[in-house]
């Protein structure tokens, strides 16, 4: 697969709270093996003229935090105006070490760092829209103005923020391609559901070795 001037690489949420322990500090929502994809992402990014990073960036007391509602993370949910909200441990809190991009990620030519999930009362898995499916992050407009139409997705987690971002991109008219060996997922059932959604939305799945 030859790269084009209209291609962009999106590196989704490679933050300390989503990755295995670093310097003795365990991530609040660790994606097992997530740090193993960093060297490959660095290598792939060097082939792209256009690279965009995303960063979960939650305020304290965010709607997605179980602690906000006095409930249990992972097991409990709440009903938000936009639907069922899964509850997680506090993670990627603005200004904390857990919210930082992993220091081993080395992409100095990245053109944009897009923060998402900063609205108190709505979560955001996708890099394009909040979880209501309507409120935009502004990324689609940025890409269109730059003339970037084919998007390659890496990062974590495959079955959440990577998957939601790729599916949103396809719905918005972009060509969406997920680089499978440079992402990691959380659970087999949600990974399988994501793969089914990709097939229905014509999101392509490739390996990094497929990129010339």
């Amino acid at each position: 697969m030859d790269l084009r001037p209209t291609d962009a690489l999106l590196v989704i949420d490679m933050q300390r709270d989503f990755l295995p322990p670093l310097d003795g500090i365990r991530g609040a929502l660790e994606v097992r093996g997530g740090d193993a994809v960093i060297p490959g992402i660095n290598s792939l990014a060097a082939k792209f003229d256009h690279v965009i990073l995303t960063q979960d960036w939650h305020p304290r007391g965010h709607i997605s935090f179980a602690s906000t509602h006095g409930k249990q993370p992972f097991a409990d949910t709440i009903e938000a105006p936009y639907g069922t909200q899964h509850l997680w441990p506090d993670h990627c809190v603005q200004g904390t070490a857990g919210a930082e991009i992993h220091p081993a990620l080395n992409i100095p030519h990245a053109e944009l760092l897009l923060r998402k999930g900063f609205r108190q009362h709505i979560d955001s898995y996708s890099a394009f829209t909040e979880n209501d499916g309507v409120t935009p992050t502004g990324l689609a407009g940025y890409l269109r103005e730059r003339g970037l139409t084919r998007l390659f997705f890496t990062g974590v987690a495959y079955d959440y923020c990577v998957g939601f971002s790729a599916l949103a991109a396809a719905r918005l008219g972009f060509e969406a391609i997920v680089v499978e060996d440079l992402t990691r997922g959380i659970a087999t059932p949600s990974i399988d559901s994501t793969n089914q959604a990709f097939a229905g939305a014509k999101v392509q799945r490739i390996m990094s070795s497929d990129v010339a």
Side-chain angles (χ1 to χ4, degrees):
M1 180 178 287
D2 293 327
L3 294 180
R4 309 167 184 164
T6 54
D7 290 339
L9 178 68
L10 274 73
V11 182
I12 304 295
D13 295 0
M14 292 297 291
Q15 296 166 255
R16 292 180 60 164
D17 263 346
F18 292 136
L19 298 173
L22 179 69
D23 299 330
I25 301 173
R26 178 172 293 279
L29 267 177
E30 176 187 342
V31 179
R32 186 175 301 174
D35 56 347
V37 305
I38 293 176
I41 291 175
N42 288 339
S43 295
L44 183 63
K47 300 180 180 182
F48 280 78
D49 291 333
H50 308 292
V51 182
I52 294 163
L53 312 180
T54 71
Q55 185 179 27
D56 238 20
W57 194 248
H58 297 312
R60 296 186 186 279
H62 189 250
I63 190 172
S64 72
F65 296 168
S67 63
T68 300
H69 312 280
K71 293 183 178 293
Q72 294 299 312
F74 306 112
D76 290 341
T77 62
I78 61 165
E79 289 304 313
Y82 50 87
T84 301
Q85 171 67 54
H86 292 276
L87 298 178
W88 311 105
D90 292 21
H91 64 281
C92 297
V93 175
Q94 296 169 2
T96 65
E100 294 173 358
I101 301 295
H102 195 286
L105 197 72
N106 183 26
I107 312 175
H109 66 293
E111 298 170 341
L112 177 69
L113 174 63
L114 179 89
R115 286 175 168 168
K116 60 188 181 66
F118 53 81
R119 293 179 173 87
Q120 188 84 36
H121 301 298
I122 186 169
D123 205 5
S124 183
Y125 297 152
S126 168
F128 290 89
T129 56
E130 308 284 14
N131 280 9
D132 60 1
V134 176
T135 305
T137 65
L139 180 58
Y142 173 88
L143 293 168
R144 288 179 178 135
E145 189 165 342
R146 297 289 309 281
L148 303 173
T149 58
R150 189 169 69 164
L151 311 179
F152 294 72
F153 292 86
T154 64
V156 294
Y158 182 87
D159 38 346
Y160 281 91
C161 294
V162 174
F164 276 74
S165 296
L167 291 167
R171 285 195 301 272
L172 291 166
F174 296 95
E175 185 177 352
I177 301 168
V178 175
V179 186
E180 286 195 289
D181 58 318
L182 297 184
T183 181
R184 292 290 186 272
I186 294 174
T188 299
S190 51
I191 290 171
D192 290 343
S193 296
T194 298
N195 288 338
Q196 292 173 12
F198 284 167
K202 298 183 179 178
V203 173
Q204 299 177 59
R205 295 156 55 193
I206 68 167
M207 302 295 284
S208 58
S209 58
D210 295 326
V211 179

